[in-house]
Amino acid sequence: MEKYFYLAYGANTHVEHMRQRCPDARYIANATLMKHRLVFRGVADVVYDKRSTVLCALWRITYRDLTRLDWFEQYPNLYGRRAAKIRLNAKDDEALFYYMQGARVDEYEPPHAYETALREGYAQCKMPTEQIDHAIKSAKNSAHREKRYRGKWLAKSRHESPAGWVPYARTVPKQLHINFDVSDKKVFN
């Protein structure tokens, strides 16, 4: 059975929820994703930021788990996947992580239930919650904060509609390759 490594920074840090979604998944350790920052767009996402890091939970998953994660993350429509090169027990491998598609700048706070599940997941993986707190604060102070209009997330545009809000246009970002060594729990380029 083919197996993969997977880096989780959001909802999939919650051990019980991962067990339900991906019954074959096994939590390995925590790893730091360098040059990225946690943000909230209603749900968790990571963006490139050369001055920041994101603490992640490293999971070992099967192909069946990967297909379930793709469904859960709405891959490839909402989230895309990237591969990070890793070294685990002196062996080179890759770990997958999801990122939100499009050149987005919008940030907004997560729903309370989602935030609670994240905090529980971080506690289960013995990860500090400072990056969650920082991302929520950043979302609250974001100049690109989105508003909810008629049940859909929409972003403000220079060319406003009569209601003042129009759908956000998406573009595909370039592929990034990130290296990290789990033995050092550091990610490097």
Side-chain angles (χ1 to χ4, degrees):
M1 180 178 288
E2 195 167 0
K3 295 197 175 183
Y4 306 87
F5 288 109
Y6 164 61
L7 290 169
Y9 53 83
N12 294 324
T13 58
H14 198 288
V15 176
E16 288 103 32
H17 295 173
M18 267 298 277
R19 194 172 294 131
Q20 291 170 5
R21 276 190 281 279
C22 303
D24 301 325
R26 298 293 171 255
Y27 170 75
I28 305 291
N30 295 332
T32 302
L33 183 60
M34 302 297 283
K35 298 185 180 180
H36 279 76
R37 177 173 49 93
L38 181 70
V39 297
F40 284 111
R41 297 186 166 117
V43 292
D45 188 18
V46 290
V47 294
Y48 179 80
D49 182 342
K50 64 182 178 182
R51 297 170 292 164
S52 298
T53 60
V54 177
L55 190 59
C56 302
L58 180 67
W59 295 87
R60 182 76 155 167
I61 60 172
T62 63
Y63 180 76
R64 181 174 76 158
D65 293 330
L66 181 62
T67 60
R68 290 175 179 202
L69 284 173
D70 284 348
W71 178 85
F72 177 73
E73 301 290 354
Q74 300 176 41
Y75 171 81
N77 298 320
L78 180 60
Y79 280 90
R81 276 193 309 222
R82 290 189 179 133
K85 293 182 182 181
I86 66 170
R87 177 174 290 270
L88 182 61
N89 299 326
K91 182 182 173 197
D92 290 333
D93 214 323
E94 287 188 338
L96 303 172
F97 67 98
Y98 291 90
Y99 66 96
M100 208 169 275
Q101 295 274 34
R104 300 179 62 149
V105 294
D106 56 310
E107 291 184 43
Y108 45 93
E109 307 93 295
H112 180 70
Y114 182 83
E115 179 186 342
T116 301
L118 281 185
R119 291 184 185 282
E120 289 173 2
Y122 275 52
Q124 292 166 354
C125 294
K126 295 180 176 45
M127 294 168 46
T129 58
E130 283 84 10
Q131 70 186 15
I132 295 172
D133 298 332
H134 182 72
I136 289 172
K137 183 178 178 181
S138 176
K140 287 181 179 177
N141 296 327
S142 174
H144 303 284
R145 199 168 175 193
E146 288 194 349
K147 293 192 176 181
R148 192 143 181 121
Y149 179 73
R150 294 191 185 167
K152 296 180 182 177
W153 283 108
L154 304 171
K156 195 163 189 172
S157 168
R158 290 184 193 160
H159 309 289
E160 295 186 18
S161 67
W165 300 92
V166 296
Y168 188 81
R170 295 183 179 189
T171 58
V172 179
K174 67 179 184 177
Q175 186 76 11
L176 290 179
H177 296 282
I178 298 137
N179 301 319
F180 76 95
D181 187 331
V182 175
S183 63
D184 293 337
K185 296 186 179 169
K186 293 288 180 194
V187 181
F188 53 90
N189 279 340

Short mmCIF file of all heavy atoms in Angstrom, two decimals, residues 13-58:
data_model
loop_
_atom_site.label_atom_id
_atom_site.label_comp_id
_atom_site.label_asym_id
_atom_site.label_seq_id
_atom_site.Cartn_x
_atom_site.Cartn_y
_atom_site.Cartn_z
N THR A 13 -5.14 18.97 12.18
CA THR A 13 -4.30 18.75 13.36
C THR A 13 -5.11 18.03 14.45
O THR A 13 -4.53 17.48 15.38
CB THR A 13 -3.78 20.08 13.93
OG1 THR A 13 -4.88 20.92 14.26
CG2 THR A 13 -2.86 20.77 12.95
N HIS A 14 -6.43 18.02 14.32
CA HIS A 14 -7.32 17.41 15.32
C HIS A 14 -7.30 15.89 15.14
O HIS A 14 -7.75 15.36 14.13
CB HIS A 14 -8.74 17.96 15.14
CG HIS A 14 -9.61 17.76 16.33
ND1 HIS A 14 -10.10 16.53 16.69
CD2 HIS A 14 -10.06 18.65 17.24
CE1 HIS A 14 -10.84 16.66 17.77
NE2 HIS A 14 -10.84 17.95 18.13
N VAL A 15 -6.76 15.20 16.12
CA VAL A 15 -6.51 13.76 16.01
C VAL A 15 -7.79 12.96 15.78
O VAL A 15 -7.84 12.11 14.90
CB VAL A 15 -5.75 13.25 17.26
CG1 VAL A 15 -5.56 11.74 17.20
CG2 VAL A 15 -4.39 13.95 17.38
N GLU A 16 -8.84 13.23 16.57
CA GLU A 16 -10.08 12.46 16.41
C GLU A 16 -10.72 12.71 15.04
O GLU A 16 -11.23 11.79 14.41
CB GLU A 16 -11.08 12.76 17.52
CG GLU A 16 -10.71 12.18 18.86
CD GLU A 16 -10.14 13.25 19.77
OE1 GLU A 16 -10.55 14.43 19.67
OE2 GLU A 16 -9.27 12.91 20.58
N HIS A 17 -10.71 13.96 14.60
CA HIS A 17 -11.29 14.27 13.30
C HIS A 17 -10.50 13.62 12.17
O HIS A 17 -11.08 13.12 11.20
CB HIS A 17 -11.38 15.78 13.09
CG HIS A 17 -12.31 16.46 14.04
ND1 HIS A 17 -12.42 17.83 14.11
CD2 HIS A 17 -13.17 15.97 14.97
CE1 HIS A 17 -13.31 18.14 15.03
NE2 HIS A 17 -13.77 17.04 15.58
N MET A 18 -9.18 13.60 12.30
CA MET A 18 -8.36 12.92 11.30
C MET A 18 -8.63 11.42 11.30
O MET A 18 -8.67 10.79 10.25
CB MET A 18 -6.87 13.18 11.54
CG MET A 18 -6.31 14.35 10.79
SD MET A 18 -6.37 14.20 9.00
CE MET A 18 -4.92 13.24 8.67
N ARG A 19 -8.82 10.86 12.47
CA ARG A 19 -9.12 9.42 12.57
C ARG A 19 -10.42 9.09 11.83
O ARG A 19 -10.53 8.05 11.19
CB ARG A 19 -9.21 9.01 14.04
CG ARG A 19 -9.18 7.50 14.23
CD ARG A 19 -9.06 7.11 15.69
NE ARG A 19 -7.77 7.52 16.23
CZ ARG A 19 -7.61 8.18 17.37
NH1 ARG A 19 -8.66 8.49 18.12
NH2 ARG A 19 -6.42 8.53 17.79
N GLN A 20 -11.41 9.98 11.92
CA GLN A 20 -12.68 9.76 11.21
C GLN A 20 -12.51 9.95 9.70
O GLN A 20 -13.04 9.16 8.92
CB GLN A 20 -13.75 10.73 11.72
CG GLN A 20 -14.18 10.45 13.13
CD GLN A 20 -15.05 11.57 13.70
OE1 GLN A 20 -15.40 12.52 13.01
NE2 GLN A 20 -15.38 11.45 14.98
N ARG A 21 -11.78 11.00 9.30
CA ARG A 21 -11.60 11.28 7.88
C ARG A 21 -10.64 10.30 7.21
O ARG A 21 -10.87 9.86 6.09
CB ARG A 21 -11.02 12.70 7.68
CG ARG A 21 -12.03 13.79 7.69
CD ARG A 21 -11.42 15.10 7.25
NE ARG A 21 -10.66 15.77 8.27
CZ ARG A 21 -11.18 16.52 9.23
NH1 ARG A 21 -12.47 16.67 9.32
NH2 ARG A 21 -10.41 17.12 10.11
N CYS A 22 -9.55 10.01 7.92
CA CYS A 22 -8.46 9.20 7.36
C CYS A 22 -8.09 8.11 8.36
O CYS A 22 -7.15 8.28 9.14
CB CYS A 22 -7.26 10.09 7.08
SG CYS A 22 -7.62 11.45 5.97
N PRO A 23 -8.82 6.98 8.35
CA PRO A 23 -8.60 5.95 9.38
C PRO A 23 -7.22 5.31 9.39
O PRO A 23 -6.79 4.79 10.41
CB PRO A 23 -9.69 4.92 9.08
CG PRO A 23 -10.16 5.20 7.71
CD PRO A 23 -9.87 6.63 7.42
N ASP A 24 -6.49 5.40 8.27
CA ASP A 24 -5.15 4.79 8.22
C ASP A 24 -4.05 5.78 8.61
O ASP A 24 -2.89 5.39 8.70
CB ASP A 24 -4.87 4.26 6.82
CG ASP A 24 -5.88 3.21 6.39
OD1 ASP A 24 -6.33 2.43 7.26
OD2 ASP A 24 -6.24 3.18 5.20
N ALA A 25 -4.39 7.06 8.82
CA ALA A 25 -3.39 8.08 9.10
C ALA A 25 -2.76 7.87 10.48
O ALA A 25 -3.44 7.50 11.43
CB ALA A 25 -4.03 9.47 9.03
N ARG A 26 -1.46 8.15 10.56
CA ARG A 26 -0.72 8.04 11.82
C ARG A 26 0.05 9.33 12.05
O ARG A 26 0.82 9.76 11.19
CB ARG A 26 0.27 6.87 11.79
CG ARG A 26 -0.38 5.52 11.61
CD ARG A 26 -1.22 5.13 12.82
NE ARG A 26 -2.01 3.95 12.56
CZ ARG A 26 -3.31 3.93 12.33
NH1 ARG A 26 -4.00 5.04 12.29
NH2 ARG A 26 -3.95 2.81 12.12
N TYR A 27 -0.14 9.92 13.22
CA TYR A 27 0.59 11.13 13.59
C TYR A 27 2.04 10.75 13.87
O TYR A 27 2.32 9.80 14.60
CB TYR A 27 -0.07 11.76 14.83
CG TYR A 27 0.72 12.87 15.44
CD1 TYR A 27 0.78 14.12 14.85
CD2 TYR A 27 1.42 12.67 16.62
CE1 TYR A 27 1.51 15.15 15.41
CE2 TYR A 27 2.15 13.70 17.20
CZ TYR A 27 2.19 14.93 16.59
OH TYR A 27 2.92 15.94 17.16
N ILE A 28 2.99 11.50 13.29
CA ILE A 28 4.41 11.20 13.43
C ILE A 28 5.08 12.15 14.43
O ILE A 28 5.67 11.73 15.41
CB ILE A 28 5.16 11.30 12.08
CG1 ILE A 28 4.52 10.41 11.02
CG2 ILE A 28 6.64 11.00 12.24
CD1 ILE A 28 4.68 8.94 11.24
N ALA A 29 5.01 13.46 14.15
CA ALA A 29 5.70 14.47 14.95
C ALA A 29 5.22 15.85 14.51
O ALA A 29 4.42 15.96 13.59
CB ALA A 29 7.21 14.36 14.75
N ASN A 30 5.74 16.88 15.15
CA ASN A 30 5.50 18.25 14.70
C ASN A 30 6.71 18.68 13.87
O ASN A 30 7.83 18.27 14.13
CB ASN A 30 5.32 19.19 15.88
CG ASN A 30 4.07 18.86 16.66
OD1 ASN A 30 3.12 18.33 16.12
ND2 ASN A 30 4.06 19.18 17.93
N ALA A 31 6.45 19.51 12.86
CA ALA A 31 7.52 20.01 11.99
C ALA A 31 7.24 21.48 11.70
O ALA A 31 6.09 21.90 11.67
CB ALA A 31 7.58 19.21 10.70
N THR A 32 8.30 22.24 11.48
CA THR A 32 8.17 23.66 11.19
C THR A 32 8.31 23.91 9.70
O THR A 32 9.31 23.52 9.10
CB THR A 32 9.23 24.47 11.96
OG1 THR A 32 9.07 24.20 13.36
CG2 THR A 32 9.08 25.95 11.72
N LEU A 33 7.33 24.55 9.11
CA LEU A 33 7.36 24.94 7.71
C LEU A 33 7.92 26.36 7.66
O LEU A 33 7.29 27.31 8.12
CB LEU A 33 5.94 24.89 7.13
CG LEU A 33 5.76 25.21 5.66
CD1 LEU A 33 6.54 24.25 4.78
CD2 LEU A 33 4.29 25.19 5.30
N MET A 34 9.13 26.49 7.16
CA MET A 34 9.80 27.79 7.12
C MET A 34 9.27 28.63 5.96
O MET A 34 8.75 28.10 4.98
CB MET A 34 11.31 27.60 6.96
CG MET A 34 11.95 26.76 8.05
SD MET A 34 11.83 27.49 9.68
CE MET A 34 13.08 28.74 9.56
N LYS A 35 9.43 29.95 6.10
CA LYS A 35 9.07 30.91 5.07
C LYS A 35 7.59 30.87 4.69
O LYS A 35 7.23 31.08 3.53
CB LYS A 35 9.96 30.75 3.83
CG LYS A 35 11.43 31.01 4.12
CD LYS A 35 12.25 30.96 2.88
CE LYS A 35 13.71 31.24 3.21
NZ LYS A 35 14.54 31.20 2.03
N HIS A 36 6.74 30.56 5.65
CA HIS A 36 5.30 30.58 5.46
C HIS A 36 4.65 31.16 6.71
O HIS A 36 5.25 31.16 7.78
CB HIS A 36 4.75 29.17 5.20
CG HIS A 36 4.91 28.76 3.77
ND1 HIS A 36 6.11 28.34 3.27
CD2 HIS A 36 4.04 28.72 2.75
CE1 HIS A 36 5.97 28.04 1.99
NE2 HIS A 36 4.71 28.28 1.65
N ARG A 37 3.42 31.64 6.54
CA ARG A 37 2.67 32.24 7.65
C ARG A 37 1.25 31.69 7.60
O ARG A 37 0.67 31.53 6.53
CB ARG A 37 2.68 33.77 7.48
CG ARG A 37 1.88 34.53 8.49
CD ARG A 37 2.09 36.04 8.35
NE ARG A 37 1.97 36.53 6.99
CZ ARG A 37 0.84 37.01 6.46
NH1 ARG A 37 -0.26 37.06 7.18
NH2 ARG A 37 0.83 37.45 5.22
N LEU A 38 0.71 31.41 8.78
CA LEU A 38 -0.68 30.96 8.88
C LEU A 38 -1.60 32.16 8.74
O LEU A 38 -1.36 33.20 9.36
CB LEU A 38 -0.92 30.29 10.24
CG LEU A 38 -2.33 29.75 10.49
CD1 LEU A 38 -2.61 28.53 9.62
CD2 LEU A 38 -2.50 29.40 11.96
N VAL A 39 -2.63 32.05 7.91
CA VAL A 39 -3.66 33.07 7.76
C VAL A 39 -5.02 32.40 7.81
O VAL A 39 -5.13 31.19 7.62
CB VAL A 39 -3.51 33.88 6.44
CG1 VAL A 39 -2.21 34.65 6.40
CG2 VAL A 39 -3.66 32.99 5.23
N PHE A 40 -6.05 33.20 8.04
CA PHE A 40 -7.41 32.69 8.00
C PHE A 40 -8.18 33.38 6.91
O PHE A 40 -8.17 34.60 6.78
CB PHE A 40 -8.12 32.90 9.35
CG PHE A 40 -7.68 31.94 10.40
CD1 PHE A 40 -6.94 32.38 11.48
CD2 PHE A 40 -7.99 30.60 10.30
CE1 PHE A 40 -6.52 31.51 12.45
CE2 PHE A 40 -7.56 29.71 11.27
CZ PHE A 40 -6.83 30.16 12.35
N ARG A 41 -8.85 32.57 6.12
CA ARG A 41 -9.79 33.04 5.09
C ARG A 41 -11.10 32.33 5.37
O ARG A 41 -11.64 31.64 4.51
CB ARG A 41 -9.24 32.71 3.73
CG ARG A 41 -7.94 33.46 3.48
CD ARG A 41 -7.43 33.30 2.08
NE ARG A 41 -6.40 34.28 1.88
CZ ARG A 41 -5.14 33.99 1.63
NH1 ARG A 41 -4.75 32.75 1.54
NH2 ARG A 41 -4.27 34.95 1.45
N GLY A 42 -11.55 32.45 6.61
CA GLY A 42 -12.67 31.66 7.09
C GLY A 42 -12.16 30.32 7.59
O GLY A 42 -12.56 29.85 8.63
N VAL A 43 -11.25 29.71 6.86
CA VAL A 43 -10.54 28.49 7.25
C VAL A 43 -9.04 28.76 7.15
O VAL A 43 -8.62 29.78 6.61
CB VAL A 43 -10.95 27.28 6.37
CG1 VAL A 43 -12.39 26.88 6.62
CG2 VAL A 43 -10.74 27.58 4.89
N ALA A 44 -8.24 27.85 7.64
CA ALA A 44 -6.79 28.05 7.68
C ALA A 44 -6.16 27.93 6.29
O ALA A 44 -6.61 27.15 5.45
CB ALA A 44 -6.15 27.05 8.63
N ASP A 45 -5.10 28.69 6.10
CA ASP A 45 -4.31 28.65 4.88
C ASP A 45 -2.89 29.05 5.25
O ASP A 45 -2.65 29.62 6.31
CB ASP A 45 -4.89 29.64 3.85
CG ASP A 45 -4.24 29.51 2.47
OD1 ASP A 45 -3.60 28.49 2.18
OD2 ASP A 45 -4.38 30.46 1.67
N VAL A 46 -1.93 28.74 4.38
CA VAL A 46 -0.56 29.22 4.55
C VAL A 46 -0.19 30.03 3.34
O VAL A 46 -0.60 29.73 2.22
CB VAL A 46 0.46 28.07 4.76
CG1 VAL A 46 0.28 27.43 6.12
CG2 VAL A 46 0.39 27.04 3.66
N VAL A 47 0.58 31.10 3.58
CA VAL A 47 1.07 31.96 2.49
C VAL A 47 2.57 32.11 2.65
O VAL A 47 3.10 32.03 3.75
CB VAL A 47 0.38 33.34 2.49
CG1 VAL A 47 -1.09 33.22 2.17
CG2 VAL A 47 0.59 34.08 3.80
N TYR A 48 3.24 32.33 1.52
CA TYR A 48 4.68 32.53 1.55
C TYR A 48 5.01 33.83 2.28
O TYR A 48 4.42 34.87 2.01
CB TYR A 48 5.24 32.57 0.11
CG TYR A 48 6.73 32.80 0.08
CD1 TYR A 48 7.60 31.75 0.32
CD2 TYR A 48 7.25 34.06 -0.16
CE1 TYR A 48 8.98 31.95 0.31
CE2 TYR A 48 8.62 34.28 -0.18
CZ TYR A 48 9.47 33.22 0.06
OH TYR A 48 10.83 33.42 0.06
N ASP A 49 5.91 33.75 3.23
CA ASP A 49 6.38 34.91 3.98
C ASP A 49 7.77 34.55 4.49
O ASP A 49 7.90 33.73 5.41
CB ASP A 49 5.44 35.23 5.14
CG ASP A 49 5.85 36.47 5.92
OD1 ASP A 49 7.02 36.90 5.80
OD2 ASP A 49 5.02 36.99 6.67
N LYS A 50 8.80 35.14 3.90
CA LYS A 50 10.17 34.73 4.21
C LYS A 50 10.57 34.99 5.66
O LYS A 50 11.56 34.44 6.12
CB LYS A 50 11.16 35.38 3.26
CG LYS A 50 11.25 36.88 3.35
CD LYS A 50 12.22 37.41 2.31
CE LYS A 50 12.27 38.93 2.38
NZ LYS A 50 13.17 39.45 1.36
N ARG A 51 9.80 35.79 6.40
CA ARG A 51 10.14 36.09 7.79
C ARG A 51 9.35 35.26 8.80
O ARG A 51 9.48 35.48 9.99
CB ARG A 51 9.91 37.57 8.06
CG ARG A 51 10.81 38.48 7.23
CD ARG A 51 10.39 39.90 7.35
NE ARG A 51 9.09 40.01 6.67
CZ ARG A 51 8.24 41.02 6.80
NH1 ARG A 51 8.53 42.02 7.56
NH2 ARG A 51 7.11 41.02 6.14
N SER A 52 8.53 34.33 8.34
CA SER A 52 7.64 33.60 9.26
C SER A 52 7.82 32.09 9.14
O SER A 52 8.45 31.59 8.21
CB SER A 52 6.19 33.96 8.96
OG SER A 52 5.96 35.32 9.17
N THR A 53 7.25 31.39 10.11
CA THR A 53 7.22 29.93 10.10
C THR A 53 5.83 29.46 10.54
O THR A 53 5.10 30.19 11.19
CB THR A 53 8.25 29.33 11.08
OG1 THR A 53 7.95 29.78 12.39
CG2 THR A 53 9.67 29.72 10.71
N VAL A 54 5.50 28.24 10.16
CA VAL A 54 4.23 27.63 10.57
C VAL A 54 4.55 26.27 11.17
O VAL A 54 5.17 25.43 10.52
CB VAL A 54 3.27 27.46 9.36
CG1 VAL A 54 1.99 26.76 9.79
CG2 VAL A 54 2.96 28.80 8.72
N LEU A 55 4.10 26.06 12.39
CA LEU A 55 4.25 24.76 13.02
C LEU A 55 3.14 23.84 12.49
O LEU A 55 1.98 24.23 12.46
CB LEU A 55 4.16 24.89 14.54
CG LEU A 55 4.52 23.64 15.34
CD1 LEU A 55 5.95 23.18 15.04
CD2 LEU A 55 4.36 23.91 16.82
N CYS A 56 3.50 22.66 12.06
CA CYS A 56 2.56 21.71 11.45
C CYS A 56 2.64 20.35 12.15
O CYS A 56 3.66 20.01 12.74
CB CYS A 56 2.90 21.49 9.97
SG CYS A 56 2.88 22.96 8.95
N ALA A 57 1.58 19.59 12.01
CA ALA A 57 1.58 18.19 12.45
C ALA A 57 1.93 17.33 11.23
O ALA A 57 1.36 17.51 10.16
CB ALA A 57 0.20 17.80 12.99
N LEU A 58 2.88 16.44 11.38
CA LEU A 58 3.30 15.55 10.30
C LEU A 58 2.58 14.21 10.45
O LEU A 58 2.66 13.57 11.51
CB LEU A 58 4.81 15.34 10.31
CG LEU A 58 5.37 14.42 9.23
CD1 LEU A 58 5.20 15.04 7.85
CD2 LEU A 58 6.84 14.12 9.50
#
